[in-house]
Amino acid sequence: MDNFLSFLSYSSIHNLNLSPTTITAFSILALIPLLYIYTALTSLTFPTLSSSRILLLIAHPDDEAMFLSPTVTRLTDPALGNHLKILCLSVGNADGIGDIRRKELIQSAKFLGVEREDDVLVVDDQKNLPDDMKVVWNTKDIADLLMRYFAPGMASGGGSGKAKKKVQEASDNKAPEALIDVIITFDKHGVSSHPNHTACHGAALAFIDLLMAGREGWACPVDVYTLTSVSIGRKYGSVVDCLWTILACMFALLTRPRDKGASKSKTVGKARKKEMERRRPKVMLFVAGPAQWWQGIQAMTRAHVSQMRWFRWGWIGLSRYMVINDLRRVVR
């Protein structure tokens, strides 16, 4: 019987009359799932965040699912003890369905692991923050909003003359405080170069500048991580981009972090030393396993129903952002 099966297998392969090129192509295709599984498992060994208060800063409802679902599903793992909030800067009212999209965002967040509805915040300011490719949002206004939401005790005082000087001195002597530890958002290219995405990046940095204004001797309590934008070929490479991404992240982890600016005093020096000691990872890699990948797909197809046009299916099937997220900590 064994001899018969061996003969049958040999005969089947022989009759196919496959060329070496075809055999090589099939071998490469067979390696892709193995590469994906290996990368997903390897990504679990990368440094991550735990016991942290995290803000996911996005521009539109569905950004959390389309671009950042591997990050959200990983960081909301109860074993890590994080508390993740989502702040969406618009209701996505480009088609006049802002109320629907707000509800879809809340449902999507639940699919991705954000259980509490009050952890999903949506800014409804269609005059200043419209969902519009042609409108450039004012990052300083958004930074002010972030200060009110997440650093309410650090707002600058007004006044003039001696009163203003006293406020400034009090500011210098007070350690910066915030209700969050980490901001995760887009990088300066915004993945798709959408001006609303790039505004999220600029606003996060402007928020850090406001938080640290007049407090040079203190370490910043909030780290900003940005989602890496890639070329269009890699963007639509799905799991094929896994190998290149993990190699790039490994190289980044091996290089020494840049430390901009020398210490101006002993106080600043001590603060900088403590800051470097407490620093969170400079690179994070999240590769969604099959279960997390499915969560992201569910968030898109079952929550963001109003957005499921034909090209969204192409994004779900081909985009590497549904599978892979690599985040870099911003060094100021």
Side-chain angles (χ1 to χ4, degrees), residues 59-80:
H60 317 110
D62 77 8
D63 287 350
E64 82 297 338
M66 284 185 63
F67 304 107
L68 288 151
S69 59
T71 296
V72 180
T73 53
R74 175 68 176 130
L75 293 179
T76 54
D77 183 345
L80 294 176

Side-chain angles (χ1 to χ4, degrees), residues 14-276:
H14 181 72
N15 291 334
L16 288 175
N17 194 27
L18 299 176
S19 67
T21 302
T22 304
I23 294 172
T24 301
F26 276 116
S27 298
I28 292 173
L29 288 175
L31 284 174
I32 290 175
L34 297 177
L35 175 63
Y36 160 60
I37 294 171
Y38 169 77
T39 310
L41 293 174
T42 303
S43 70
L44 296 176
T45 66
F46 272 69
T48 187
L49 300 174
S50 60
S51 303
S52 298
R53 300 168 298 175
I54 304 167
L55 175 67
L56 190 77
L57 181 63
I58 58 176
H60 317 110
D62 77 8
D63 287 350
E64 82 297 338
M66 284 185 63
F67 304 107
L68 288 151
S69 59
T71 296
V72 180
T73 53
R74 175 68 176 130
L75 293 179
T76 54
D77 183 345
L80 294 176
N82 295 314
H83 183 189
L84 187 143
K85 289 179 177 285
I86 297 174
L87 176 62
C88 185
L89 295 176
S90 78
V91 292
N93 201 45
D95 298 321
I97 54 173
D99 289 339
I100 293 174
R101 297 197 65 189
R102 184 203 303 267
K103 295 175 182 176
E104 289 178 343
L105 172 58
I106 293 170
Q107 187 64 28
S108 170
K110 290 181 179 178
F111 277 117
L112 298 176
V114 182
E115 295 292 342
R116 293 172 48 182
E117 187 172 325
D118 58 358
D119 282 335
V120 181
L121 312 172
V122 183
V123 179
D124 188 357
D125 184 356
Q126 297 177 43
K127 178 182 178 181
N128 298 307
L129 299 173
D131 176 4
D132 194 331
M133 281 284 293
K134 299 177 182 178
V135 176
V136 178
W137 292 348
N138 188 314
T139 56
K140 291 183 179 179
D141 288 346
I142 301 172
D144 287 337
L145 181 147
L146 292 172
M147 287 292 289
R148 293 196 301 271
Y149 279 17
F150 303 108
M154 304 304 294
S156 299
S160 59
K162 293 182 179 180
K164 187 175 181 180
K165 184 177 180 180
K166 288 181 179 180
V167 169
Q168 183 62 46
E169 289 174 351
S171 173
D172 291 340
N173 293 326
K174 185 178 180 181
E177 298 174 349
L179 302 179
I180 52 175
D181 304 310
V182 170
I183 297 176
I184 295 175
T185 191
F186 297 99
D187 67 5
K188 64 182 180 179
H189 303 293
V191 176
S192 60
S193 298
H194 195 301
N196 298 165
H197 293 177
T198 59
C200 290
H201 174 264
L205 301 188
F207 166 71
I208 298 299
D209 289 341
L210 284 177
L211 185 63
M212 297 305 296
R215 301 178 182 92
E216 295 182 358
W218 299 95
C220 182
V222 180
D223 283 319
V224 176
Y225 285 88
T226 58
L227 178 66
T228 304
S229 297
V230 297
S231 65
I232 191 168
R234 291 182 60 195
K235 184 190 297 186
Y236 293 102
S238 189
V239 298
V240 177
D241 193 50
C242 286
L243 180 59
W244 176 257
T245 301
I246 197 170
L247 290 175
C249 288
M250 286 179 173
F251 177 77
L253 283 173
L254 292 174
T255 57
R256 296 183 63 182
R258 293 179 300 143
D259 186 13
K260 290 187 177 181
S263 300
K264 297 181 180 179
S265 68
K266 291 182 179 180
T267 305
V268 175
K270 289 178 180 178
R272 190 174 296 277
K273 183 178 180 181
K274 289 180 180 179
E275 181 181 9
M276 296 308 293

